[in-house]
Amino acid sequence: MSILADTPKPPYYAVIFTSIRTAGDNGYSETAHRMLELAEQQPGYLGVESAREDIGITVSYWTDLESIKNWKADAEHLEAQKTGRQLWYESFKVRISKVERDYGI
Amino acid sequence: MSILADTPKPPYYAVIFTSIRTAGDNGYSETAHRMLELAEQQPGYLGVESAREDIGITVSYWTDLESIKNWKADAEHLEAQKTGRQLWYESFKVRISKVERDYGI
């Protein structure tokens, strides 16, 4: 994930997931990798950007709210969310937002 | 910046700034630090979250679009944006988005 997401002209949606991890891997890395792989296959998926330092930030981009809802309800993803709450994250926040404008170089 | 932003109940706005840096510091770190300091003092500022790995992601949160517009037009910030385009960033993207919903632990 070393490049910026090539998203279309707005509007589209961004899911901003920020987190603080607990100590130890505990299977996190493998699942995180698998979730990125799975997300890419979902209808409405537009791209992802991710970085971790003191905190982790993963922003995934989607065509619409329905696609975000469906991805949240994916069975394998639900299992990962459960383990995330119980084991991997000390705290996290998910923000669903609508991208209204963008620019860059 | 080791904690998650303590934002109010939505709606509010998120500016998602993702970037790839050029090689060398070239004064970047000092200016980046100063910009965070300045941003905090702006009307409508709600918080910031930031991490850099292969790419950098900084998400700043704001009460409304007017506050974002005013911060973008700040004289010292304009100067930093100019140097960013010329010197610090190989590529970047700014996405202005409206946070409609959030949850977390």
PDB file of all heavy atoms in Angstrom, chain B residues 20-21 28 45 49 62 64 67 73-75 78-80 88 103 105:
ATOM      1  N   ILE B  20       2.773  11.477  -0.535  1.00  0.00           N
ATOM      2  CA  ILE B  20       4.054  10.780  -0.657  1.00  0.00           C
ATOM      3  C   ILE B  20       5.131  11.855  -0.670  1.00  0.00           C
ATOM      4  O   ILE B  20       5.071  12.799  -1.459  1.00  0.00           O
ATOM      5  CB  ILE B  20       4.096   9.926  -1.945  1.00  0.00           C
ATOM      6  CG1 ILE B  20       3.026   8.823  -1.845  1.00  0.00           C
ATOM      7  CG2 ILE B  20       5.478   9.319  -2.142  1.00  0.00           C
ATOM      8  CD1 ILE B  20       2.880   7.980  -3.091  1.00  0.00           C
ATOM      9  N   ARG B  21       6.092  11.724   0.219  1.00  0.00           N
ATOM     10  CA  ARG B  21       7.148  12.715   0.384  1.00  0.00           C
ATOM     11  C   ARG B  21       8.269  12.524  -0.626  1.00  0.00           C
ATOM     12  O   ARG B  21       8.519  11.413  -1.069  1.00  0.00           O
ATOM     13  CB  ARG B  21       7.731  12.611   1.810  1.00  0.00           C
ATOM     14  CG  ARG B  21       6.812  13.096   2.899  1.00  0.00           C
ATOM     15  CD  ARG B  21       7.040  14.577   3.192  1.00  0.00           C
ATOM     16  NE  ARG B  21       8.284  14.744   3.957  1.00  0.00           N
ATOM     17  CZ  ARG B  21       9.373  15.326   3.462  1.00  0.00           C
ATOM     18  NH1 ARG B  21       9.423  15.777   2.236  1.00  0.00           N
ATOM     19  NH2 ARG B  21      10.439  15.460   4.224  1.00  0.00           N
ATOM     20  N   TYR B  28      10.889  20.329   6.134  1.00  0.00           N
ATOM     21  CA  TYR B  28       9.517  19.813   6.242  1.00  0.00           C
ATOM     22  C   TYR B  28       9.064  19.626   7.691  1.00  0.00           C
ATOM     23  O   TYR B  28       7.978  20.083   8.065  1.00  0.00           O
ATOM     24  CB  TYR B  28       9.406  18.482   5.486  1.00  0.00           C
ATOM     25  CG  TYR B  28       8.151  17.716   5.807  1.00  0.00           C
ATOM     26  CD1 TYR B  28       6.941  18.075   5.226  1.00  0.00           C
ATOM     27  CD2 TYR B  28       8.163  16.650   6.706  1.00  0.00           C
ATOM     28  CE1 TYR B  28       5.774  17.384   5.528  1.00  0.00           C
ATOM     29  CE2 TYR B  28       7.009  15.956   7.014  1.00  0.00           C
ATOM     30  CZ  TYR B  28       5.821  16.334   6.420  1.00  0.00           C
ATOM     31  OH  TYR B  28       4.679  15.656   6.732  1.00  0.00           O
ATOM     32  N   TYR B  45     -11.689  24.347  14.521  1.00  0.00           N
ATOM     33  CA  TYR B  45     -10.813  23.168  14.592  1.00  0.00           C
ATOM     34  C   TYR B  45     -11.308  22.189  15.661  1.00  0.00           C
ATOM     35  O   TYR B  45     -11.611  22.595  16.782  1.00  0.00           O
ATOM     36  CB  TYR B  45      -9.389  23.619  14.921  1.00  0.00           C
ATOM     37  CG  TYR B  45      -8.412  22.507  15.218  1.00  0.00           C
ATOM     38  CD1 TYR B  45      -7.684  21.904  14.206  1.00  0.00           C
ATOM     39  CD2 TYR B  45      -8.203  22.086  16.538  1.00  0.00           C
ATOM     40  CE1 TYR B  45      -6.777  20.891  14.488  1.00  0.00           C
ATOM     41  CE2 TYR B  45      -7.303  21.070  16.824  1.00  0.00           C
ATOM     42  CZ  TYR B  45      -6.588  20.483  15.798  1.00  0.00           C
ATOM     43  OH  TYR B  45      -5.691  19.487  16.088  1.00  0.00           O
ATOM     44  N   GLU B  49      -5.532  13.685  13.428  1.00  0.00           N
ATOM     45  CA  GLU B  49      -4.931  12.360  13.587  1.00  0.00           C
ATOM     46  C   GLU B  49      -3.943  12.198  12.448  1.00  0.00           C
ATOM     47  O   GLU B  49      -4.242  12.568  11.313  1.00  0.00           O
ATOM     48  CB  GLU B  49      -6.006  11.272  13.508  1.00  0.00           C
ATOM     49  CG  GLU B  49      -6.962  11.319  14.692  1.00  0.00           C
ATOM     50  CD  GLU B  49      -8.214  10.482  14.521  1.00  0.00           C
ATOM     51  OE1 GLU B  49      -8.684  10.339  13.380  1.00  0.00           O
ATOM     52  OE2 GLU B  49      -8.722   9.987  15.538  1.00  0.00           O
ATOM     53  N   TRP B  62     -13.114  19.456  11.498  1.00  0.00           N
ATOM     54  CA  TRP B  62     -13.580  20.837  11.534  1.00  0.00           C
ATOM     55  C   TRP B  62     -15.093  20.896  11.686  1.00  0.00           C
ATOM     56  O   TRP B  62     -15.796  19.994  11.216  1.00  0.00           O
ATOM     57  CB  TRP B  62     -13.172  21.550  10.232  1.00  0.00           C
ATOM     58  CG  TRP B  62     -11.698  21.500   9.990  1.00  0.00           C
ATOM     59  CD1 TRP B  62     -11.011  20.494   9.387  1.00  0.00           C
ATOM     60  CD2 TRP B  62     -10.724  22.470  10.392  1.00  0.00           C
ATOM     61  NE1 TRP B  62      -9.665  20.778   9.376  1.00  0.00           N
ATOM     62  CE2 TRP B  62      -9.459  21.986   9.991  1.00  0.00           C
ATOM     63  CE3 TRP B  62     -10.806  23.703  11.053  1.00  0.00           C
ATOM     64  CZ2 TRP B  62      -8.271  22.685  10.222  1.00  0.00           C
ATOM     65  CZ3 TRP B  62      -9.632  24.403  11.275  1.00  0.00           C
ATOM     66  CH2 TRP B  62      -8.382  23.902  10.866  1.00  0.00           C
ATOM     67  N   ASP B  64     -17.151  23.063  10.231  1.00  0.00           N
ATOM     68  CA  ASP B  64     -17.868  23.455   9.015  1.00  0.00           C
ATOM     69  C   ASP B  64     -16.904  23.789   7.879  1.00  0.00           C
ATOM     70  O   ASP B  64     -15.704  23.927   8.079  1.00  0.00           O
ATOM     71  CB  ASP B  64     -18.772  24.665   9.320  1.00  0.00           C
ATOM     72  CG  ASP B  64     -17.988  25.784   9.953  1.00  0.00           C
ATOM     73  OD1 ASP B  64     -17.156  26.396   9.260  1.00  0.00           O
ATOM     74  OD2 ASP B  64     -18.168  26.042  11.172  1.00  0.00           O
ATOM     75  N   SER B  67     -14.718  27.117   8.085  1.00  0.00           N
ATOM     76  CA  SER B  67     -13.485  27.010   8.883  1.00  0.00           C
ATOM     77  C   SER B  67     -12.356  26.385   8.066  1.00  0.00           C
ATOM     78  O   SER B  67     -11.200  26.811   8.158  1.00  0.00           O
ATOM     79  CB  SER B  67     -13.731  26.153  10.127  1.00  0.00           C
ATOM     80  OG  SER B  67     -14.752  26.706  10.915  1.00  0.00           O
ATOM     81  N   ALA B  73      -6.734  29.426   3.623  1.00  0.00           N
ATOM     82  CA  ALA B  73      -6.344  30.766   3.164  1.00  0.00           C
ATOM     83  C   ALA B  73      -5.414  31.487   4.143  1.00  0.00           C
ATOM     84  O   ALA B  73      -4.974  32.610   3.878  1.00  0.00           O
ATOM     85  CB  ALA B  73      -7.596  31.602   2.925  1.00  0.00           C
ATOM     86  N   ASP B  74      -5.089  30.863   5.271  1.00  0.00           N
ATOM     87  CA  ASP B  74      -4.161  31.460   6.243  1.00  0.00           C
ATOM     88  C   ASP B  74      -2.812  31.731   5.566  1.00  0.00           C
ATOM     89  O   ASP B  74      -2.280  30.866   4.849  1.00  0.00           O
ATOM     90  CB  ASP B  74      -3.977  30.491   7.415  1.00  0.00           C
ATOM     91  CG  ASP B  74      -2.880  30.932   8.367  1.00  0.00           C
ATOM     92  OD1 ASP B  74      -1.695  30.580   8.115  1.00  0.00           O
ATOM     93  OD2 ASP B  74      -3.193  31.640   9.344  1.00  0.00           O
ATOM     94  N   ALA B  75      -2.260  32.915   5.788  1.00  0.00           N
ATOM     95  CA  ALA B  75      -1.051  33.356   5.071  1.00  0.00           C
ATOM     96  C   ALA B  75       0.137  32.404   5.277  1.00  0.00           C
ATOM     97  O   ALA B  75       0.799  32.009   4.306  1.00  0.00           O
ATOM     98  CB  ALA B  75      -0.669  34.765   5.512  1.00  0.00           C
ATOM     99  N   LEU B  78      -0.591  29.168   3.543  1.00  0.00           N
ATOM    100  CA  LEU B  78      -0.460  29.297   2.086  1.00  0.00           C
ATOM    101  C   LEU B  78       0.993  29.123   1.658  1.00  0.00           C
ATOM    102  O   LEU B  78       1.291  28.455   0.661  1.00  0.00           O
ATOM    103  CB  LEU B  78      -0.969  30.661   1.609  1.00  0.00           C
ATOM    104  CG  LEU B  78      -2.476  30.823   1.436  1.00  0.00           C
ATOM    105  CD1 LEU B  78      -2.800  32.265   1.035  1.00  0.00           C
ATOM    106  CD2 LEU B  78      -3.027  29.856   0.388  1.00  0.00           C
ATOM    107  N   GLU B  79       1.881  29.722   2.423  1.00  0.00           N
ATOM    108  CA  GLU B  79       3.315  29.630   2.147  1.00  0.00           C
ATOM    109  C   GLU B  79       3.772  28.165   2.250  1.00  0.00           C
ATOM    110  O   GLU B  79       4.518  27.679   1.396  1.00  0.00           O
ATOM    111  CB  GLU B  79       4.068  30.510   3.155  1.00  0.00           C
ATOM    112  CG  GLU B  79       5.518  30.792   2.804  1.00  0.00           C
ATOM    113  CD  GLU B  79       5.693  31.435   1.434  1.00  0.00           C
ATOM    114  OE1 GLU B  79       4.867  32.312   1.059  1.00  0.00           O
ATOM    115  OE2 GLU B  79       6.621  31.032   0.729  1.00  0.00           O
ATOM    116  N   ALA B  80       3.279  27.473   3.286  1.00  0.00           N
ATOM    117  CA  ALA B  80       3.620  26.056   3.473  1.00  0.00           C
ATOM    118  C   ALA B  80       3.063  25.206   2.339  1.00  0.00           C
ATOM    119  O   ALA B  80       3.732  24.290   1.840  1.00  0.00           O
ATOM    120  CB  ALA B  80       3.085  25.562   4.816  1.00  0.00           C
ATOM    121  N   TRP B  88       8.276  19.400  -0.995  1.00  0.00           N
ATOM    122  CA  TRP B  88       8.131  18.308  -0.034  1.00  0.00           C
ATOM    123  C   TRP B  88       7.375  17.097  -0.530  1.00  0.00           C
ATOM    124  O   TRP B  88       7.603  15.997  -0.062  1.00  0.00           O
ATOM    125  CB  TRP B  88       7.473  18.830   1.252  1.00  0.00           C
ATOM    126  CG  TRP B  88       8.291  19.827   1.989  1.00  0.00           C
ATOM    127  CD1 TRP B  88       9.651  19.824   2.148  1.00  0.00           C
ATOM    128  CD2 TRP B  88       7.816  21.003   2.651  1.00  0.00           C
ATOM    129  NE1 TRP B  88      10.039  20.912   2.882  1.00  0.00           N
ATOM    130  CE2 TRP B  88       8.934  21.652   3.212  1.00  0.00           C
ATOM    131  CE3 TRP B  88       6.546  21.560   2.851  1.00  0.00           C
ATOM    132  CZ2 TRP B  88       8.823  22.834   3.943  1.00  0.00           C
ATOM    133  CZ3 TRP B  88       6.427  22.724   3.571  1.00  0.00           C
ATOM    134  CH2 TRP B  88       7.560  23.366   4.116  1.00  0.00           C
ATOM    135  N   TYR B 103     -18.627   5.686  15.220  1.00  0.00           N
ATOM    136  CA  TYR B 103     -18.764   4.789  16.365  1.00  0.00           C
ATOM    137  C   TYR B 103     -17.378   4.243  16.691  1.00  0.00           C
ATOM    138  O   TYR B 103     -16.437   4.404  15.899  1.00  0.00           O
ATOM    139  CB  TYR B 103     -19.740   3.641  16.070  1.00  0.00           C
ATOM    140  CG  TYR B 103     -19.343   2.758  14.917  1.00  0.00           C
ATOM    141  CD1 TYR B 103     -18.562   1.621  15.108  1.00  0.00           C
ATOM    142  CD2 TYR B 103     -19.739   3.064  13.619  1.00  0.00           C
ATOM    143  CE1 TYR B 103     -18.180   0.818  14.035  1.00  0.00           C
ATOM    144  CE2 TYR B 103     -19.370   2.270  12.540  1.00  0.00           C
ATOM    145  CZ  TYR B 103     -18.589   1.149  12.753  1.00  0.00           C
ATOM    146  OH  TYR B 103     -18.226   0.360  11.691  1.00  0.00           O
ATOM    147  N   ILE B 105     -14.735   2.323  20.149  1.00  0.00           N
ATOM    148  CA  ILE B 105     -14.576   1.931  21.547  1.00  0.00           C
ATOM    149  C   ILE B 105     -13.423   2.748  22.131  1.00  0.00           C
ATOM    150  O   ILE B 105     -12.553   3.201  21.415  1.00  0.00           O
ATOM    151  CB  ILE B 105     -14.271   0.422  21.762  1.00  0.00           C
ATOM    152  CG1 ILE B 105     -13.027  -0.006  20.957  1.00  0.00           C
ATOM    153  CG2 ILE B 105     -15.460  -0.407  21.372  1.00  0.00           C
ATOM    154  CD1 ILE B 105     -12.517  -1.387  21.310  1.00  0.00           C
TER     155      ILE B 105
END
